[in-house]
Amino acid sequence: MKIKDVTSALECFAPLPLQEDYDNAGLQVGLTEAEVSGVLLCLDVTEATVCEAKEKGCNMIVAHHPLIFRKLRHITSEDYVQRCVMDAIKNDITIVAMHTNLDSVKGGVNNMIARKLGLTDVEMLGHRTLGDTEAGVGVTGNMAEPLTAEDFIAKVKTVFHAGCVMTNEPLRRPIRKVAVCGGSGAFALQQAVEAGADAFLTGEMHYHEYFGREQQIQIAVTGHYESEQFTISLLEEIINDRCPEVRTVQTETCTNPIRYY
């Protein structure tokens, strides 16, 4: 099977037109006509993950976050992005990113987060369609049983292996319905409120975005990496389902640049 076949399978699941205008999902580096020797799956492409791909005999890297996000004016050793591009080209490694298209598609990143949290009756938040493909800005679902705010926050911290969970003041009513938007999801907060969610789970929010939500909705912010870490397993599921003969390898490199003390 060729690299282009794996890329096509991924894009069939999460079509590139679903990505946001600012995004740069899809083929990042390399050629797609070569036969795939193995696919390394990761959240971020770093020099360590490119090295890992070489060591594990993978000539394809599929990441969630694009390596090339902003315009490259030159390719030198100036920063890690340029060094990764050079290293990948030297070693015939193709890099593909599935970013906001995979975030928004039904069955994508947000559904995986909901699955890990154990939500039921999951529906798209901000539902839209692209042809026959359903998508949304996030998902909503119900807890298996109502939880206090403190218990909900504790569950989030445990499930997502978070160093801490940033929240607003604890909600003084049970949390039943939860809205989810992985990564930087503050833009979906108002839609979560309008959908009747008791809690909103995301990866990161700015300081002023917490204001005015007291006793309206429980905010739980895990950290960007923590909220999307299970995307690696999602990518593996998609490839294994659609390209079962292809060898997939989940990265052993933690690319989270943030530490908690």
Side-chain angles (χ1 to χ4, degrees), residues 5-258:
D5 298 319
V6 179
T7 301
S8 177
L10 289 166
E11 293 179 6
C12 183
F13 180 88
L16 291 182
L18 285 177
Q19 70 178 306
E20 299 296 330
D21 292 341
Y22 61 79
D23 202 6
N24 189 35
L27 179 65
Q28 301 268 292
V29 177
L31 305 174
T32 61
E33 287 292 338
E35 289 191 13
V36 60
S37 62
V39 182
L40 182 76
L41 306 168
C42 57
L43 205 62
D44 311 280
V45 180
T46 65
E47 291 170 276
T49 52
V50 175
C51 181
E52 186 180 7
K54 289 188 291 183
E55 292 174 349
K56 295 179 177 176
C58 297
N59 65 348
M60 182 178 187
I61 295 174
V62 177
H64 182 44
H65 298 134
L67 171 64
I68 302 174
F69 196 72
R70 297 176 179 85
K71 181 179 180 180
L72 292 179
R73 297 186 180 277
H74 47 253
I75 300 178
T76 67
S77 61
E78 182 178 301
D79 59 43
Y80 86 93
V81 173
Q82 296 175 55
R83 293 192 295 271
C84 285
V85 170
M86 288 195 295
D87 200 11
I89 292 172
K90 284 180 184 177
N91 291 278
D92 297 318
I93 296 173
T94 296
I95 300 174
V96 172
M98 292 283 109
H99 192 209
T100 53
N101 53 320
L102 190 61
D103 285 333
S104 61
V105 73
K106 184 178 181 180
V109 175
N110 292 312
N111 287 86
M112 175 60 86
I113 295 171
R115 192 196 314 176
K116 291 296 181 179
L117 199 55
L119 301 184
T120 62
D121 305 313
V122 176
E123 298 178 351
M124 302 308 295
L125 177 67
H127 184 270
R128 61 191 174 106
T129 59
L130 177 70
D132 295 328
T133 305
E134 295 184 69
V137 299
V139 300
T140 61
N142 298 319
M143 301 296 300
E145 59 182 34
L147 295 178
T148 65
E150 291 81 4
D151 287 344
F152 172 75
I153 292 165
K155 181 179 180 68
V156 167
K157 185 174 181 178
T158 299
V159 169
F160 295 92
H161 314 294
C164 68
V165 178
M166 297 180 68
T167 75
N168 54 349
E169 68 177 24
L171 200 66
R172 294 192 293 271
R173 67 172 189 268
I175 292 176
R176 296 181 174 86
K177 186 173 184 178
V178 179
V180 168
C181 182
S184 300
F187 67 92
L189 178 56
Q190 182 57 35
Q191 287 173 271
V193 171
E194 293 170 359
D198 300 303
F200 177 68
L201 172 64
T202 190
E204 59 179 290
M205 282 176 51
H206 293 299
Y207 174 78
H208 289 97
E209 291 166 331
Y210 289 80
F211 280 93
R213 303 296 183 178
E214 298 82 8
Q215 298 309 312
Q216 184 185 61
I217 192 168
Q218 183 67 60
I219 297 170
V221 179
T222 62
H224 197 120
Y225 178 92
E226 287 80 2
S227 73
E228 296 184 328
Q229 61 188 293
F230 303 116
T231 303
I232 297 172
S233 297
L234 173 63
L235 289 167
E236 185 168 56
E237 288 179 8
I238 296 168
I239 295 173
N240 288 348
D241 178 59
R242 295 168 182 249
C243 309
E245 61 269 50
V246 171
R247 180 172 66 96
T248 55
V249 179
Q250 292 195 24
T251 183
E252 296 181 66
T253 303
C254 177
T255 59
N256 189 0
I258 298 173

